[in-house]
Amino acid sequence: MKYKIALIPGDGIGPEIVAEARKVLDRVGTVYGHEFLYEELLMGGASIDATGEPLTAETLQKAKESDSVLLGAVGGAVGQSKWYELPPNLRPEAGLLKIRKGLGLFCNLRPAVLFPQLKHACPLKEEISKGKFDFTVVRELTGGVYFGERKTEIEKGIRKAVDTMPYDENEICRIAKWAFEIARKRRKQVCSVDKANVLDTSRLWREVVSEVAKEYPDVQITNMLVDNCAMQIVKDPSQFDVILTENMFGDILSDEASMVTGSIGMLPSASLGEGKLGLYEPSHGSAPDIAGQDKANPIATILSAAMMLRYSFDLEKEASAIEDAVSKVLDQGYRTMDIKSDNTILIGTKEMGDRIVAQL
Ligand code: IPM
Ligand code: MG
């Protein structure tokens, strides 16, 4: 089969890690007889520098016409980069929000898995991590405070800013269904996270999720307040299977979740919508401090490419082959800087990509 992949290298380490994922995809194409056709697109800071906008209408259109999008990372160092002072809708991050919304990708999957080979990198004590946890954050991605009305003004000489957090029942219902469907293929537990003791949107969230839950009697549903959830992730992460939550809570909890695995450089993510087109990207950021030095870990992007094969192209065998190849290279003791520990062999971005290719 032929697949058209939009590649968005982005900023910082983005180009280096996307290049490695592309090598891996090419190898999969050769071994399994698929043709991956790439179109490189600009987004984020790279697009601002070239066009003045973080995502142009043409780029969005090209992404829509592709079968799937693979993204590196966008943005510069907070407070330091040349893009930081731009108005909000012209900053690199705005490109990311616009492409998510423009492609209708309301469902963001962020797995948090403790890789057995990297157990020691987990910052939690072993009695807490239990040496094993595997949950996934299902984050609503195109609603809530990220997309609500906002303004900054001066009222009676006082500077004031307002962000609003709207959700309607349809937005909640469709993401809840995703979470239940995913849970069905896993350990059949959904923990819906909200702040229903304070927020109206959270009360509605809880109500709608409990209605959807009735359609999934085989899946266990629990509700948890977001502050408690933040604590439970570091107290007993193995209690979770699927965490379902709104956009901003999901942003925060998914970073926490990836950090407790000790290997944020390993974690992929998928953003999905109604159709097959998805956007796949590592869970980590653009790491401008190590950009261009062959130090970045390409594994999260390579595993994101595997998720793309699985969710957008239904190529399960090929996706698993990539995951197995990554696992073998870790078994052999090869590590990039971020996951290096005693008695392992330090390698760079390119060598990591080459070694994964060699296992396919
Ligand atoms: C993420 C990032 C983005 C978000 C930023 C870069 C806009 O933190 O994907 O988690 O908040 O969604
Ligand atoms: Mg984030």
Side-chain angles (χ1 to χ4, degrees):
M1 280 277 284
K2 263 191 193 173
Y3 300 95
K4 254 171 69 184
I5 301 174
L7 280 186
I8 307 185
D11 308 317
I13 57 172
E16 297 161 73
I17 54 182
V18 166
E20 298 315 305
R22 180 174 175 163
K23 275 193 216 163
V24 171
L25 283 170
D26 284 339
R27 177 72 186 155
V28 168
T30 309
V31 175
Y32 294 88
H34 305 296
E35 201 178 338
F36 298 118
L37 306 168
Y38 308 99
E39 180 161 28
E40 280 212 17
L41 303 178
L42 290 179
M43 196 174 92
S47 175
I48 296 173
D49 290 349
T51 70
E53 281 178 62
L55 177 74
T56 64
E58 297 98 89
T59 304
L60 179 58
Q61 187 53 33
K62 284 186 182 151
K64 277 186 186 158
E65 287 161 9
S66 70
D67 294 314
S68 207
V69 183
L70 185 66
L71 166 68
V74 293
V78 173
Q80 290 165 29
S81 90
K82 58 181 172 182
W83 307 306
Y84 187 72
E85 292 301 333
L86 292 169
N89 61 336
L90 293 179
R91 288 182 204 146
E93 292 76 9
L96 190 55
L97 300 189
K98 195 168 158 193
I99 199 168
R100 287 172 178 167
K101 190 80 168 178
L103 298 178
L105 307 174
F106 61 85
C107 174
N108 185 216
L109 305 183
R110 295 191 167 178
V113 179
L114 190 60
F115 287 81
Q117 298 96 330
L118 304 177
K119 257 186 353 204
H120 54 266
C122 173
L124 304 175
K125 288 187 200 144
E126 191 148 355
E127 69 229 52
I128 290 176
S129 74
K130 305 192 177 112
K132 199 177 150 103
F133 57 83
D134 172 356
F135 63 95
T136 196
V137 178
V138 176
R139 168 188 178 194
E140 200 292 323
L141 202 60
T142 53
V145 73
Y146 275 61
F147 293 93
E149 276 175 36
R150 65 178 95 254
K151 65 177 176 197
T152 302
E153 59 190 3
I154 297 179
E155 206 178 82
K156 295 184 189 135
I158 307 282
R159 285 173 299 161
K160 181 179 164 187
V162 185
D163 294 286
T164 55
M165 186 187 206
Y167 266 112
D168 71 37
E169 59 178 317
N170 297 330
E171 290 173 297
I172 301 169
C173 181
R174 64 184 185 177
I175 187 70
K177 284 188 172 158
W178 260 102
F180 283 97
E181 290 293 338
I182 286 160
R184 258 192 182 156
K185 297 190 190 131
R186 298 175 45 102
R187 300 191 305 277
K188 298 191 169 56
Q189 292 169 36
V190 171
C191 177
S192 175
V193 173
D194 60 38
K195 188 70 186 170
N197 53 348
V198 178
L199 301 176
D200 272 31
T201 42
S202 284
R203 299 180 82 95
L204 179 64
W205 184 276
R206 217 175 251 222
E207 215 172 284
V208 175
V209 170
S210 75
E211 288 158 16
V212 173
K214 294 200 182 101
E215 296 166 35
Y216 296 86
D218 51 321
V219 178
Q220 189 206 339
I221 172 77
T222 50
N223 295 287
M224 195 179 272
L225 295 175
V226 61
D227 45 352
N228 184 25
C229 182
M231 185 171 76
Q232 294 298 331
I233 288 174
V234 291
K235 201 170 155 230
D236 180 16
S238 64
Q239 71 181 283
F240 296 112
D241 179 21
V242 173
I243 291 180
L244 161 66
T245 194
E246 66 86 42
N247 204 345
M248 187 168 62
F249 298 160
D251 176 44
I252 298 166
L253 294 177
S254 64
D255 261 29
E256 186 192 7
S258 58
M259 189 60 225
V260 298
T261 68
S263 39
I264 183 161
M266 303 284 301
L267 298 175
S269 79
S271 303
L272 307 164
E274 300 290 359
K276 279 285 171 193
L277 172 68
L279 181 140
Y280 300 84
E281 58 178 314
S283 278
H284 59 72
S286 59
D289 53 324
I290 56 162
Q293 299 170 40
D294 197 40
K295 285 182 177 166
N297 186 350
I299 293 179
T301 318
I302 290 168
L303 293 176
S304 301
M307 282 184 108
M308 176 173 80
L309 299 185
R310 175 172 294 124
Y311 288 106
S312 284
F313 305 160
D314 291 319
L315 299 175
E316 176 57 40
K317 189 169 58 190
E318 291 81 343
S320 303
I322 295 179
E323 289 158 356
D324 290 347
V326 168
S327 194
K328 281 189 199 135
V329 173
L330 294 175
D331 286 341
Q332 292 164 352
Y334 294 105
R335 303 283 189 269
T336 44
M337 191 186 71
D338 56 311
I339 50 174
K340 176 85 181 80
S341 61
D342 293 348
N343 305 319
T344 58
I345 311 147
L346 180 66
I347 59 174
T349 312
K350 289 201 187 89
E351 187 175 343
M352 183 56 92
D354 290 341
R355 291 196 173 273
I356 293 167
V357 166
Q359 292 299 327
L360 278 158

